[in-house]
Amino acid sequence: REATLSAKIIGKLVEANLEEGERITKGQIVARLDDSNILAALREAQAEAYQAKVALENAELIYKRYVSLRQQGAISMDAFQVQKSAYDTARTTFGVAQAAVVMAEANENDTTIRAPFAGVVTDKTAQVGEIVAPAAAGGSFTRTGIATIVDMDSLEVDVDVSENYIDRVHPGQKA
């Protein structure tokens, strides 16, 4: 097995924890991209989710009061429907805000590049400070890979054996 490690997103490489010939383990963090803008977006999404949660809690309290008032016949159906609509909107807004947090967290996670399997680094392509991307973008100075790793336990050798010596080859024989 061989893989060229790359980022899922375009960004500036700020950390590269590998060198050619180095053994790495599955899941090991091998590189990081600059996450300053993505982290700011995550914090913004979290703040908006908190605001939406508070708004939902307030709308829920008012809605419950309106349900009670409607059951008593103290308010009109129109007034009740307006408050129900406000509550439903607040609930939906909170759901959207939670989804935005999940998306921002995923984007933040994409700034960390991990080894997909254990192996040996055979080529380090990108250096700290370079822009890396999942595909060619942004001109000739953008790298599409960070490093290449090879699983040395999965190596196979393909050998041609002359017909004259084929009777000397046996399954399980050392090579």
Side-chain angles (χ1 to χ4, degrees):
R1 288 190 302 177
E2 179 179 3
T4 299
L5 302 180
S6 184
K8 287 176 68 176
I9 59 173
I10 189 168
K12 184 170 100 174
L13 191 63
V14 294
E15 191 178 316
N17 304 320
L18 42 78
E19 293 298 328
E20 290 180 6
E22 179 183 351
R23 289 196 165 276
I24 57 174
T25 58
K26 179 179 181 174
Q28 178 180 336
I29 296 173
V30 295
R32 292 184 194 275
L33 301 180
D34 177 17
D35 67 349
S36 55
N37 292 341
I38 293 173
L39 197 54
L42 173 58
R43 289 189 179 128
E44 179 183 23
Q46 289 170 332
E48 288 175 358
Y50 178 75
Q51 282 181 327
K53 179 182 176 193
V54 170
L56 174 59
E57 289 169 353
N58 290 337
E60 185 176 19
L61 289 173
I62 295 168
Y63 174 67
K64 285 180 179 178
R65 191 171 72 231
Y66 272 57
V67 167
S68 176
L69 291 171
R70 180 66 193 145
Q71 289 171 346
Q72 296 170 16
I75 59 170
S76 69
M77 187 58 145
D78 288 342
F80 174 75
Q81 288 297 334
V82 167
Q83 187 53 46
K84 182 178 183 326
S85 177
Y87 171 67
D88 290 342
T89 299
R91 194 174 57 212
T92 302
T93 301
F94 180 57
V96 170
Q98 286 179 310
V101 169
V102 170
M103 184 66 169
E105 287 171 343
N107 289 339
E108 170 63 24
N109 188 47
D110 288 344
T111 64
T112 303
I113 295 89
R114 297 178 183 276
F117 54 83
V120 176
V121 177
T122 59
D123 184 31
K124 183 177 178 182
T125 312
Q127 300 296 325
V128 171
E130 291 185 303
I131 302 296
V132 294
S140 61
F141 297 110
T142 302
R143 301 278 183 192
T144 56
I146 297 169
T148 301
I149 61 170
V150 175
D151 176 7
M152 294 300 187
D153 294 333
S154 68
L155 291 179
E156 293 181 8
V157 177
D158 186 10
V159 179
D160 290 326
V161 178
S162 169
E163 288 182 24
N164 296 336
Y165 301 110
I166 196 70
D167 63 334
R168 297 181 187 177
V169 178
H170 304 289
Q173 181 179 357
K174 291 187 176 189

